Amino acid sequence: MEKLLEGKVALVTGAGRGIGRAIALKLAGEGAAVACCGRTPAHVEAVAADIVKAGGRATAYPVDVSNGVQVGEVCEKIVKELGRVDILVNNAGVTRDQLLLRMTEEEWDAVLDTNLKGAFLFTKAVSRTMLKQRSGRIINISSIIGLTGNAGQSNYAASKAGLIGFTKSVARELGSRGITANAIAPGFIETDMTAAVGAEAVKRLTEHIALGRLGAGEDIARAVLFLASDLGSYVTGQVITVDGGTAI
């Protein structure tokens, strides 16, 4: 059976762990050559190696997503080495949770620079190639926190809500050239971060989820695959909530 992304090139930020790793593996499994981008070289190199071991194509590109010079250089390198970029997944994200009155300027900037500015930098760099191709898929990983807000996460909520507005604007701006832009808003997903909060906290979280369980990285990866492939070719400017019914 023909793979959905055969011959395509995908760039995934924050690919070294968690949701980003699941996305990179899923896109590679459907035939895409994946550029695994992330801040920690060992993490992105391990994911690229796992993909290659499974018979796929992947290359690791360590980069600080909040650094405009680094992003420009790495995108230029990816296009030179892989020939094109068909799919961009802006997944890189950090948290610096703190109550508003105690939040420092550094904690605010760290989250906005990675989660929102990083998406801007990569989208700007990659859109040049996509405009020449007159095709492309841009997928931004937001969060249900960007839709609902959350105490102690004003910086994170602002960054994820900003991604939604950014997504809709990009969809309007680039749509005439065959480029779609969409956002996915995950709910509570099993990652290293959720594992660190402890079993009791996880139990309390699941009480607010209609399906009664945390999501998996694979749940988000499947939504990304839909938007990245021809299956989602007429979907743009949308926010797809993948949260098991948390935000109902």
Side-chain angles (χ1 to χ4, degrees), residues 151-166:
Q153 289 192 304
S154 59
N155 48 2
Y156 185 76
S159 70
K160 294 301 188 177
L163 264 182
I164 291 171
F166 176 70

Side-chain angles (χ1 to χ4, degrees), residues 11 13 71 75 88-90 116-131 138-140 163 166-167 170-171 174 179-181:
L11 190 168
T13 72
V71 171
C75 288
L88 169 64
V89 183
N90 287 309
L116 186 56
K117 181 184 174 185
F120 156 71
L121 292 173
F122 268 94
T123 302
K124 180 180 179 181
V126 168
S127 64
R128 299 180 193 279
T129 298
M130 291 183 173
L131 286 167
I138 298 168
I139 303 158
N140 297 319
L163 264 182
F166 176 70
T167 300
V170 170
L174 304 182
I179 301 167
T180 66

Side-chain angles (χ1 to χ4, degrees), residues 4-66:
L4 290 172
L5 302 178
E6 199 66 56
K8 302 293 186 182
V9 174
L11 190 168
V12 181
T13 72
R17 55 199 300 184
I19 292 172
R21 181 180 187 277
I23 292 169
L25 291 171
K26 174 63 72 176
L27 300 185
E30 285 295 335
V34 182
C36 300
C37 294
R39 192 188 300 267
T40 307
H43 291 167
V44 290
E45 287 164 5
V47 172
D50 286 344
I51 290 171
V52 172
K53 188 184 296 184
R57 294 172 297 155
T59 309
Y61 295 91
V63 60
D64 177 354
V65 303
S66 68

